[in-house]
Amino acid sequence: MSTRTQAFVNFYAAMGTLYAYSKLDEKARELAAKQDISLRFKVKGGPDGVLVFEGGQIKAIPYQKGVKTDIVLYCSDVNKFNDLVDGKGQSVIPLKGFTKLGFLLNKESAFNKLTEDMATLMRKKEFDNKDEMRLSTLLAFYAMVSAIAQIGNEDDLGKVSAKKIPEGLISIEIPDQCYLTIKVTKEPQTKLEVIDERCPNPRSKMVFDSLETAKGVIDGKLDAMSCIATGKIAMSGFIPMLQFLNNILNLVPKYLS
Amino acid sequence: MKVYKYDKSRKIMERASKVIPCGVYGHLGPAEGCMIPVDAFPTFASKAEGAYFWDVDGNKYLDFMCAYGPNVLGYNDPDVDAAALEQLKNMNCVTLPGEKMVELAELLTDLTKKDWAFFAKNGGDITLYSIMIARFYTGKKKIIFVNGYYHGVAPWSQTPDSAGTIEDDCKNSLYVDFNDIEGLKKVIEENKNDIAAFISTPYMHGNFKHNEVPQEGYWQEVRKLCTENNIVLIVDDIRCGFRLDLKGSDHYYGFEADLICFCKAIANGYNISALCGKDFLKSAAGSIMYTGSYWMSAVPFAAAIATINKLKANNACEKFKKLGTMLCDGLVEMAKKKGVNLVASGEPALFYLMITDDDSLNLHQQWIAECVKRGLWLTNHHNHFINLAMIEEDIKKAIEIAAEAMDVMIKNNPEVYKK
């Protein structure tokens, strides 16, 4: 397990799941809509990404020249960023947006409320109703698939598996609930990217039969191979893509707990 | 044709999944066995005879997987079973081995022109042992694998990203492509004096790609490089052994391995594997403590002797090639007439099939599923096997079922197969 990979997972899969939260939950969307703001996390030796709040939607994107940023936070190493995400410290240096730092520092800010609510929901084991269970599962599902991409791109072992995944689109589905696509490209090097859309013609497909199965796999109560054997997960298409993706999936609990 | 249903299989699978990891784990299971979609395949068998087996729902299958290889004479071969039963009446697993072990070693060494034989139970037992011998004999540590290889499931034979394997298990692994002599020379040069063994199947019968036979002179050049560099040449003949050539697949391709691993076709389903080797490695083999509780059980030795003698008496390999060629030619021709590109590759006795009209293999998976539902047992992404119980009528029947299954697949994919 590498702290660098952890930082990428923390930004794109943990913070990145705010995207799904703001998309799936009306209250989250209302909260996110309170302020349009862009936070850049510039982590030395780790991710350089921007968390964008715009019109009630949130997205985590890589920083590129020209991307608008209201606040820029610099972390001198990946551990400091990981501590920040874990709530263990705030050893970050603001480089821009001093007047807007309340968005981060104020406990009642939309950012803190959203991250706290989302984390609570994702950690929940017992639910008040079906909708809450559905939301929790879909958030965890999004985080899991996002983490697969980051681990395949950054972790040493993950990269071994990712390198063996042939080029193409992999669809990961919970029918009528969620459709995510992992795009595998090979040039200039192997890269996995999560796309939030249904792929009509994927090269391979992994279909969970229910939210319960997805939750079981995410919680580690079910393993993917047993689910495939019993038909709870259906795989089809170019199977090596899924075999090696499954190897990366095995690494996810190390980074997302 | 009747389309099968699998109600009893499903019920047993429900029970199995509660008490057995994956319900059915490994290559016979739906996940590793690539049974796609799972509901097109049964999961439990109830009986077998000759070239056929029946599932627990009573559906009958013409079986070209042959238990993934061990069924080389036909299921429940009367001669082999009689020999096994006769031995069982006297002894099986006892404090001392029986004479049958020596008899089998004499038969195998004579047949394969090797100097000694060592027995275990599964292929992985002896591929590991062959590596241990090579390392002990040469005092070197690295192993050259051929990309797309399969030599069992132990960590040394996996890649570090496999579940249950750690990076240290694979740190002495080197990789080359099959038929790539220049690549092999480069790897040897880069790891001079550090390579204990080169291990490979006699031809590349990996999954998800057309199987690849050796180019002219390939094995002879490999042999030369191994000899020049004090590298033990190990042939993993577990899948091909006694299906291409009763003298071993090294003989078939005109070279001599230092160590050769046999398993699947030795005893027609009785559990035994064997490592045969050259004299210069016998002392190294003897120096290594390597044993198992059932490795000297007498019944599989008796079954193996009967199996090998029957294979010899029936000119088996020639028949495997003839029937395999007839089936592959028939299937490819049938598909061609329907506008489907079906490729049969590898050796006919262990043919590999793939429809190449899409890059996802979805069409192939649909076709195989329809074959199985009609009683023709093919598998999606693994080579197949011919056995001695099969006759020409079986081949004709297989092509007939495959044709109907292909019609269904074509009908379900009008966007690909426009009239």
Side-chain angles (χ1 to χ4, degrees), chain A residues 161 164 203 226 229 237-238, chain B residues 22 32 36 159 161 359-360 365:
Chain A
S161 293
K164 291 187 275 191
R203 195 170 179 201
S226 294
F238 200 71
Chain B
C22 292
E32 288 293 340
I36 302 167
T159 50
D161 55 330
D359 74 348
S360 67
Q365 288 160 5

Side-chain angles (χ1 to χ4, degrees), chain B residues 208-225:
Chain B
F208 304 103
K209 57 184 179 183
H210 301 315
N211 286 185
E212 190 180 354
V213 296
Q215 289 167 1
E216 185 74 31
Y218 168 73
W219 271 117
Q220 290 67 30
E221 189 63 25
V222 172
R223 173 70 273 180
K224 186 167 166 274
L225 286 168

Side-chain angles (χ1 to χ4, degrees), chain B residues 128-146:
Chain B
L128 170 58
Y129 187 44
S130 71
I131 295 299
M132 292 167 75
I133 292 170
R135 283 179 168 155
F136 181 72
Y137 174 78
T138 61
K140 299 187 284 186
K141 59 178 187 262
K142 292 189 178 174
I143 307 296
I144 302 176
F145 294 88
V146 176

Side-chain angles (χ1 to χ4, degrees), chain A residues 52-119:
Chain A
V52 182
F53 288 68
E54 192 176 14
Q57 288 189 332
I58 307 169
K59 57 184 176 182
I61 57 171
Y63 173 75
Q64 286 177 328
K65 214 173 178 183
V67 170
K68 174 183 165 269
T69 56
D70 299 301
I71 301 171
V72 177
L73 298 167
Y74 176 74
C75 293
S76 57
D77 70 60
V78 290
N79 291 317
K80 285 176 181 164
F81 177 69
N82 293 335
D83 285 347
L84 176 76
V85 175
D86 288 347
K88 291 177 188 166
Q90 300 219 340
S91 325
V92 291
I93 303 163
L95 300 178
K96 182 185 172 186
F98 295 93
T99 58
K100 295 173 182 169
L101 279 176
F103 188 72
L104 271 177
L105 300 175
N106 181 353
K107 277 195 169 182
E108 296 304 312
S109 75
F111 176 78
N112 283 316
K113 188 88 176 61
L114 280 164
T115 50
E116 203 177 302
D117 288 355
M118 186 176 78

